[in-house]
Amino acid sequence: SAIRCRTLAKTTVTAISHVYNNDITWNTVSGATGYQIYRRSDTDTSWVRLATLGKETSYHDESVNCEEHYDYRVRPLYKYDGVTTYGSYTVAEARYVASCDDSYATRCYAIFGEYVDDPRLYYNSSAEAEADMVAVTIKAWDFTDSSRTAKKTKNYTLWVHKNLAYTVQLMFEELYACEAQYPISDIGGFVYKNKSEHSSGLAFDINVDANPYVGPDGVIVGTKFDPENNPYSIPVDGEVEQLFYKYGFTRGIYWGNGYMDYMHFSFFGT
């Protein structure tokens, strides 16, 4: 015979923000006949129920404000013969995952919650900027020694804007999983300086010496760009550059002003 009530496990919830709409997914809970999903924004004082669903494990939320951040919670339920048993809630923050297809406005709202004319100048001081930065720990490959015959895993700490952190985490996880095991000798993100996306935690420099900053009169920072002979030099339009671009980061070699910053990858392309 059917069970009138039962104990339900918690589910695992993932909420992805696309700025103008959000996608929420969760794992199937054994024995559940349905799920309830709730939402709370930065300005809400309580949770708002969005839907009671059947056995679906996803929900597309189109009623969002691009200037708000949202949390979601999901709980399983079991309904039989007029009696409903509920499991515990699982809460997930809607985290932005950037894409090369995101418009300038979408990127502004995702990061700053408003449209800005120049993201490099958003913060008025280092202290103000630092309050919005978080540390992301990334795994990367590097050579074990100067012979460059074997590789090892290294951990790096990269400071980036809090609203870009999840994108950066996913991006470097994908890079680490590449069969080629691209080596990273050094990487740097947030640093407060004049007219730079680094000041807003929106850019990073990678393998500086082998990916120089070059001007009309020659190398300004670094030494030589030599991807055919130096594995730390990142090939133009190669797998690494294309992967970073997929997540919205453009390399600093397409400005068309006589300067080529091979080490530099930025979210707004500056």
Side-chain angles (χ1 to χ4, degrees), residues 141-152 154 183 231-232:
W141 294 101
D142 197 9
F143 293 104
T144 56
D145 53 44
S146 59
S147 68
R148 297 182 177 178
T149 56
K151 292 176 182 175
K152 62 182 179 181
K154 291 178 67 174
Y232 290 111

Side-chain angles (χ1 to χ4, degrees), residues 93-107:
E93 175 189 1
R95 295 184 291 183
Y96 174 59
V97 178
S99 164
C100 60
D101 295 326
D102 290 344
S103 67
Y104 181 88
T106 295
R107 296 174 192 229

Side-chain angles (χ1 to χ4, degrees), residues 11-33:
T11 187
T12 301
V13 180
T14 301
I16 301 300
S17 168
H18 305 291
V19 182
Y20 301 102
N21 55 80
N22 297 332
D23 283 310
I24 304 88
T25 58
W26 55 91
N27 293 342
T28 299
V29 173
S30 177
T33 60

Side-chain angles (χ1 to χ4, degrees), residues 16 25 51 53 79 81 84 90 150 155 164 196 202 221:
I16 301 300
T25 58
L53 305 175
K79 188 173 184 178
D81 196 23
T84 303
T90 301
N155 290 322
L164 201 54
S196 168
L202 305 173
V221 178

Side-chain angles (χ1 to χ4, degrees), residues 69 93 111 123 131-134 160-166 201:
H69 289 92
E93 175 189 1
I111 303 302
Y123 296 102
D132 279 347
M133 302 302 130
V134 295
V160 298
H161 195 284
K162 62 183 180 182
N163 293 331
L164 201 54
Y166 190 51

